[in-house]
Amino acid sequence: MSNNSSSRRFSITMAVLLALLVALVGACLIFGSVDIDAQAVLSIVMGHDSDNEAWNIIVRQSRMPMIATAALAGAALAISGLLLQTTFNNPLAGPSILGVSTGAGLGVAVVMLAMGGTIGKMMGDVAIGGYLATLLGAFIGAGAVMLVLIIFSSIVKSSTMLLIIGMLVSYLASSVVQLLNSLATEQGIQSYVAWGFGNFSGVTAAQMPLYASLIGVGLVGAVMMVKPLNALLLGTRYAENLGINTHRTRIALLAITGLLTAVVTAYCGPIGFLGLVVPHIARLMLATSNHSRLIPVTMLAGADIALLCTLLSVGGDHGVIPINAITPIIGVPIILYIILNRRKIQYFN
């Protein structure tokens, strides 16, 4: 594909995804368990109060944070999947497949089920509780899995074997979670089960700055890794000939992935399929694996799909549908297409 044709395709794809993003944001603001007039929504978003006080609260304190949470989570998980697929040169690598999400979930389970939602008393009488304890637990869990993968990546050279190791770690973490469930209180189990359904409505306006900042750091880190990522596509030896320290690069990529996955998992629950599926959608749209173009498209596509799942989850009259009940409906057919047509979606030139 010529540079002009590739640039045109990239520009069109970005324009379509941005337009879709705007449309989905508008739809998520208007539709839900309570339908709100579009003109009233626009007025509230612009800072003007509606005569209906309930509408003001719903739009500003519920729907706007939910939209920001979903868009950032979708972008973060999609980028995590892209980094892992490039790092391990495996199209089926993703945060959930490699056990990163499960590790973060295990950390949350320890906090919720074994510690009663509070991480011990530290520094005297000071204790960490609430969402900060959940966030710290997710970081520790995801970091532990990342450490295991980093250790084995220096021992096992086969990306397939490393993928199997990640899956085994995931099974082990799931077993520990089940053990904790069997020993926990009924209230703890209910809280953990509700968290495990996955949702984008758990981040409040007060929590948003920390949530957005952490994800922003991870996304910026991913953008800064464009050159090493493109070098890794050509093989380890070629990358090293270009002066890339492949071992340090893999550690950096795993650290970025761990950060993004831990934050999303802590705040939103273990969201499946987005990290696995979205990078392939981006590659098919661009017909390239040049990360300078693939990264922004993957971010936007991830945000769009997360917002679509959000719209589907709150658009009915039967209450909110768990996000993890929707993502497989979108993800499984795409994964099957990837498996059956793998040659067509190999890394493009």
mmCIF file of all heavy atoms in Angstrom, residues 203-234:
data_model
loop_
_atom_site.group_PDB
_atom_site.id
_atom_site.type_symbol
_atom_site.label_atom_id
_atom_site.label_comp_id
_atom_site.label_asym_id
_atom_site.label_seq_id
_atom_site.Cartn_x
_atom_site.Cartn_y
_atom_site.Cartn_z
ATOM 1 N N VAL A 203 -17.317 4.935 38.891
ATOM 2 C CA VAL A 203 -16.364 6.021 39.127
ATOM 3 C C VAL A 203 -17.129 7.327 39.316
ATOM 4 O O VAL A 203 -17.824 7.794 38.413
ATOM 5 C CB VAL A 203 -15.373 6.156 37.949
ATOM 6 C CG1 VAL A 203 -14.372 7.275 38.223
ATOM 7 C CG2 VAL A 203 -14.646 4.841 37.720
ATOM 8 N N THR A 204 -17.003 7.919 40.473
ATOM 9 C CA THR A 204 -17.693 9.173 40.761
ATOM 10 C C THR A 204 -16.890 10.347 40.219
ATOM 11 O O THR A 204 -15.721 10.205 39.833
ATOM 12 C CB THR A 204 -17.886 9.341 42.276
ATOM 13 O OG1 THR A 204 -16.591 9.471 42.897
ATOM 14 C CG2 THR A 204 -18.609 8.141 42.870
ATOM 15 N N ALA A 205 -17.523 11.514 40.223
ATOM 16 C CA ALA A 205 -16.835 12.723 39.764
ATOM 17 C C ALA A 205 -15.613 13.020 40.628
ATOM 18 O O ALA A 205 -14.589 13.509 40.135
ATOM 19 C CB ALA A 205 -17.808 13.902 39.784
ATOM 20 N N ALA A 206 -15.696 12.709 41.923
ATOM 21 C CA ALA A 206 -14.561 12.946 42.825
ATOM 22 C C ALA A 206 -13.400 11.999 42.535
ATOM 23 O O ALA A 206 -12.223 12.362 42.707
ATOM 24 C CB ALA A 206 -15.017 12.794 44.275
ATOM 25 N N GLN A 207 -13.704 10.781 42.097
ATOM 26 C CA GLN A 207 -12.665 9.799 41.804
ATOM 27 C C GLN A 207 -12.091 9.957 40.395
ATOM 28 O O GLN A 207 -11.008 9.428 40.105
ATOM 29 C CB GLN A 207 -13.237 8.384 41.945
ATOM 30 C CG GLN A 207 -13.692 8.036 43.348
ATOM 31 C CD GLN A 207 -14.500 6.756 43.400
ATOM 32 O OE1 GLN A 207 -14.769 6.137 42.369
ATOM 33 N NE2 GLN A 207 -14.900 6.343 44.594
ATOM 34 N N MET A 208 -12.786 10.672 39.529
ATOM 35 C CA MET A 208 -12.410 10.772 38.127
ATOM 36 C C MET A 208 -11.000 11.323 37.896
ATOM 37 O O MET A 208 -10.266 10.804 37.035
ATOM 38 C CB MET A 208 -13.430 11.617 37.371
ATOM 39 C CG MET A 208 -13.203 11.718 35.869
ATOM 40 S SD MET A 208 -13.188 10.105 35.036
ATOM 41 C CE MET A 208 -14.897 9.613 35.282
ATOM 42 N N PRO A 209 -10.551 12.375 38.613
ATOM 43 C CA PRO A 209 -9.198 12.889 38.344
ATOM 44 C C PRO A 209 -8.107 11.830 38.500
ATOM 45 O O PRO A 209 -7.212 11.729 37.662
ATOM 46 C CB PRO A 209 -9.052 14.022 39.377
ATOM 47 C CG PRO A 209 -10.442 14.483 39.630
ATOM 48 C CD PRO A 209 -11.279 13.239 39.568
ATOM 49 N N LEU A 210 -8.159 11.036 39.568
ATOM 50 C CA LEU A 210 -7.150 9.997 39.775
ATOM 51 C C LEU A 210 -7.265 8.918 38.712
ATOM 52 O O LEU A 210 -6.252 8.486 38.132
ATOM 53 C CB LEU A 210 -7.303 9.387 41.169
ATOM 54 C CG LEU A 210 -6.337 8.238 41.508
ATOM 55 C CD1 LEU A 210 -4.893 8.716 41.434
ATOM 56 C CD2 LEU A 210 -6.645 7.662 42.890
ATOM 57 N N TYR A 211 -8.487 8.483 38.439
ATOM 58 C CA TYR A 211 -8.733 7.455 37.426
ATOM 59 C C TYR A 211 -8.209 7.902 36.060
ATOM 60 O O TYR A 211 -7.455 7.178 35.398
ATOM 61 C CB TYR A 211 -10.234 7.174 37.370
ATOM 62 C CG TYR A 211 -10.691 6.282 36.241
ATOM 63 C CD1 TYR A 211 -10.546 4.899 36.313
ATOM 64 C CD2 TYR A 211 -11.295 6.809 35.103
ATOM 65 C CE1 TYR A 211 -10.982 4.084 35.288
ATOM 66 C CE2 TYR A 211 -11.729 6.003 34.072
ATOM 67 C CZ TYR A 211 -11.565 4.634 34.165
ATOM 68 O OH TYR A 211 -11.992 3.831 33.135
ATOM 69 N N ALA A 212 -8.582 9.106 35.649
ATOM 70 C CA ALA A 212 -8.174 9.611 34.335
ATOM 71 C C ALA A 212 -6.669 9.847 34.272
ATOM 72 O O ALA A 212 -6.030 9.591 33.239
ATOM 73 C CB ALA A 212 -8.928 10.903 34.018
ATOM 74 N N SER A 213 -6.088 10.316 35.367
ATOM 75 C CA SER A 213 -4.649 10.595 35.377
ATOM 76 C C SER A 213 -3.841 9.316 35.223
ATOM 77 O O SER A 213 -2.863 9.266 34.459
ATOM 78 C CB SER A 213 -4.258 11.306 36.675
ATOM 79 O OG SER A 213 -4.894 12.558 36.780
ATOM 80 N N LEU A 214 -4.227 8.266 35.946
ATOM 81 C CA LEU A 214 -3.497 7.007 35.866
ATOM 82 C C LEU A 214 -3.584 6.396 34.472
ATOM 83 O O LEU A 214 -2.582 5.919 33.921
ATOM 84 C CB LEU A 214 -4.034 6.026 36.905
ATOM 85 C CG LEU A 214 -3.728 6.374 38.372
ATOM 86 C CD1 LEU A 214 -4.488 5.436 39.310
ATOM 87 C CD2 LEU A 214 -2.231 6.305 38.646
ATOM 88 N N ILE A 215 -4.785 6.429 33.898
ATOM 89 C CA ILE A 215 -4.931 5.897 32.542
ATOM 90 C C ILE A 215 -4.183 6.777 31.551
ATOM 91 O O ILE A 215 -3.546 6.276 30.605
ATOM 92 C CB ILE A 215 -6.418 5.783 32.166
ATOM 93 C CG1 ILE A 215 -7.058 4.646 32.965
ATOM 94 C CG2 ILE A 215 -6.589 5.531 30.664
ATOM 95 C CD1 ILE A 215 -8.500 4.390 32.635
ATOM 96 N N GLY A 216 -4.219 8.091 31.755
ATOM 97 C CA GLY A 216 -3.489 9.002 30.876
ATOM 98 C C GLY A 216 -1.997 8.717 30.869
ATOM 99 O O GLY A 216 -1.354 8.730 29.808
ATOM 100 N N VAL A 217 -1.433 8.435 32.046
ATOM 101 C CA VAL A 217 -0.008 8.097 32.126
ATOM 102 C C VAL A 217 0.281 6.841 31.300
ATOM 103 O O VAL A 217 1.265 6.783 30.547
ATOM 104 C CB VAL A 217 0.408 7.893 33.597
ATOM 105 C CG1 VAL A 217 1.804 7.277 33.677
ATOM 106 C CG2 VAL A 217 0.379 9.219 34.346
ATOM 107 N N GLY A 218 -0.563 5.830 31.436
ATOM 108 C CA GLY A 218 -0.364 4.597 30.688
ATOM 109 C C GLY A 218 -0.472 4.794 29.186
ATOM 110 O O GLY A 218 0.329 4.253 28.412
ATOM 111 N N LEU A 219 -1.464 5.576 28.746
ATOM 112 C CA LEU A 219 -1.648 5.808 27.312
ATOM 113 C C LEU A 219 -0.486 6.617 26.721
ATOM 114 O O LEU A 219 -0.021 6.336 25.613
ATOM 115 C CB LEU A 219 -2.978 6.532 27.067
ATOM 116 C CG LEU A 219 -4.244 5.738 27.417
ATOM 117 C CD1 LEU A 219 -5.482 6.572 27.149
ATOM 118 C CD2 LEU A 219 -4.303 4.430 26.634
ATOM 119 N N VAL A 220 -0.008 7.610 27.463
ATOM 120 C CA VAL A 220 1.147 8.382 27.003
ATOM 121 C C VAL A 220 2.379 7.482 26.914
ATOM 122 O O VAL A 220 3.165 7.563 25.962
ATOM 123 C CB VAL A 220 1.416 9.580 27.945
ATOM 124 C CG1 VAL A 220 2.754 10.238 27.616
ATOM 125 C CG2 VAL A 220 0.298 10.607 27.835
ATOM 126 N N GLY A 221 2.525 6.597 27.908
ATOM 127 C CA GLY A 221 3.639 5.649 27.868
ATOM 128 C C GLY A 221 3.576 4.757 26.644
ATOM 129 O O GLY A 221 4.610 4.471 26.023
ATOM 130 N N ALA A 222 2.376 4.331 26.268
ATOM 131 C CA ALA A 222 2.215 3.490 25.075
ATOM 132 C C ALA A 222 2.606 4.252 23.814
ATOM 133 O O ALA A 222 3.275 3.705 22.922
ATOM 134 C CB ALA A 222 0.774 2.999 24.980
ATOM 135 N N VAL A 223 2.196 5.504 23.729
ATOM 136 C CA VAL A 223 2.539 6.324 22.558
ATOM 137 C C VAL A 223 4.052 6.481 22.429
ATOM 138 O O VAL A 223 4.606 6.467 21.322
ATOM 139 C CB VAL A 223 1.855 7.703 22.660
ATOM 140 C CG1 VAL A 223 2.364 8.640 21.571
ATOM 141 C CG2 VAL A 223 0.339 7.550 22.559
ATOM 142 N N MET A 224 4.737 6.600 23.558
ATOM 143 C CA MET A 224 6.195 6.791 23.537
ATOM 144 C C MET A 224 6.936 5.526 23.122
ATOM 145 O O MET A 224 8.146 5.571 22.858
ATOM 146 C CB MET A 224 6.667 7.254 24.919
ATOM 147 C CG MET A 224 6.156 8.630 25.314
ATOM 148 S SD MET A 224 6.631 9.104 26.995
ATOM 149 C CE MET A 224 8.419 9.196 26.836
ATOM 150 N N MET A 225 6.240 4.389 23.068
ATOM 151 C CA MET A 225 6.872 3.118 22.715
ATOM 152 C C MET A 225 6.684 2.752 21.247
ATOM 153 O O MET A 225 6.910 1.598 20.864
ATOM 154 C CB MET A 225 6.309 1.997 23.600
ATOM 155 C CG MET A 225 6.563 2.173 25.090
ATOM 156 S SD MET A 225 8.323 2.165 25.518
ATOM 157 C CE MET A 225 8.723 0.448 25.203
ATOM 158 N N VAL A 226 6.275 3.703 20.425
ATOM 159 C CA VAL A 226 5.980 3.415 19.016
ATOM 160 C C VAL A 226 7.189 2.819 18.300
ATOM 161 O O VAL A 226 7.088 1.782 17.620
ATOM 162 C CB VAL A 226 5.500 4.692 18.295
ATOM 163 C CG1 VAL A 226 5.520 4.479 16.779
ATOM 164 C CG2 VAL A 226 4.096 5.056 18.736
ATOM 165 N N LYS A 227 8.341 3.434 18.426
ATOM 166 C CA LYS A 227 9.532 2.957 17.709
ATOM 167 C C LYS A 227 9.931 1.552 18.134
ATOM 168 O O LYS A 227 10.140 0.675 17.276
ATOM 169 C CB LYS A 227 10.698 3.934 17.916
ATOM 170 C CG LYS A 227 11.963 3.532 17.176
ATOM 171 C CD LYS A 227 13.087 4.535 17.381
ATOM 172 C CE LYS A 227 14.370 4.079 16.687
ATOM 173 N NZ LYS A 227 15.487 5.046 16.906
ATOM 174 N N PRO A 228 10.057 1.252 19.443
ATOM 175 C CA PRO A 228 10.378 -0.128 19.830
ATOM 176 C C PRO A 228 9.317 -1.139 19.390
ATOM 177 O O PRO A 228 9.659 -2.263 19.017
ATOM 178 C CB PRO A 228 10.457 -0.050 21.364
ATOM 179 C CG PRO A 228 10.740 1.376 21.674
ATOM 180 C CD PRO A 228 10.051 2.157 20.603
ATOM 181 N N LEU A 229 8.050 -0.750 19.426
ATOM 182 C CA LEU A 229 6.982 -1.660 19.009
ATOM 183 C C LEU A 229 7.119 -2.021 17.534
ATOM 184 O O LEU A 229 6.997 -3.194 17.154
ATOM 185 C CB LEU A 229 5.614 -1.022 19.271
ATOM 186 C CG LEU A 229 5.151 -1.005 20.732
ATOM 187 C CD1 LEU A 229 3.960 -0.060 20.895
ATOM 188 C CD2 LEU A 229 4.786 -2.400 21.211
ATOM 189 N N ASN A 230 7.373 -1.027 16.688
ATOM 190 C CA ASN A 230 7.554 -1.300 15.261
ATOM 191 C C ASN A 230 8.781 -2.164 15.015
ATOM 192 O O ASN A 230 8.789 -3.022 14.129
ATOM 193 C CB ASN A 230 7.670 0.016 14.488
ATOM 194 C CG ASN A 230 6.330 0.697 14.304
ATOM 195 O OD1 ASN A 230 5.283 0.052 14.353
ATOM 196 N ND2 ASN A 230 6.345 2.001 14.094
ATOM 197 N N ALA A 231 9.831 -1.948 15.828
ATOM 198 C CA ALA A 231 11.044 -2.756 15.671
ATOM 199 C C ALA A 231 10.787 -4.204 16.059
ATOM 200 O O ALA A 231 11.299 -5.137 15.419
ATOM 201 C CB ALA A 231 12.174 -2.162 16.515
ATOM 202 N N LEU A 232 9.993 -4.424 17.102
ATOM 203 C CA LEU A 232 9.700 -5.791 17.547
ATOM 204 C C LEU A 232 8.942 -6.584 16.487
ATOM 205 O O LEU A 232 9.051 -7.813 16.432
ATOM 206 C CB LEU A 232 8.887 -5.760 18.840
ATOM 207 C CG LEU A 232 9.642 -5.409 20.123
ATOM 208 C CD1 LEU A 232 8.678 -5.325 21.296
ATOM 209 C CD2 LEU A 232 10.743 -6.433 20.404
ATOM 210 N N LEU A 233 8.166 -5.902 15.655
ATOM 211 C CA LEU A 233 7.424 -6.596 14.596
ATOM 212 C C LEU A 233 8.360 -7.289 13.611
ATOM 213 O O LEU A 233 7.978 -8.271 12.976
ATOM 214 C CB LEU A 233 6.534 -5.608 13.834
ATOM 215 C CG LEU A 233 5.339 -5.016 14.583
ATOM 216 C CD1 LEU A 233 4.615 -4.012 13.700
ATOM 217 C CD2 LEU A 233 4.380 -6.113 15.023
ATOM 218 N N LEU A 234 9.581 -6.772 13.483
ATOM 219 C CA LEU A 234 10.537 -7.304 12.507
ATOM 220 C C LEU A 234 11.427 -8.389 13.094
ATOM 221 O O LEU A 234 12.284 -8.934 12.396
ATOM 222 C CB LEU A 234 11.407 -6.162 11.975
ATOM 223 C CG LEU A 234 10.631 -5.030 11.295
ATOM 224 C CD1 LEU A 234 11.561 -3.878 10.958
ATOM 225 C CD2 LEU A 234 9.927 -5.534 10.044
#
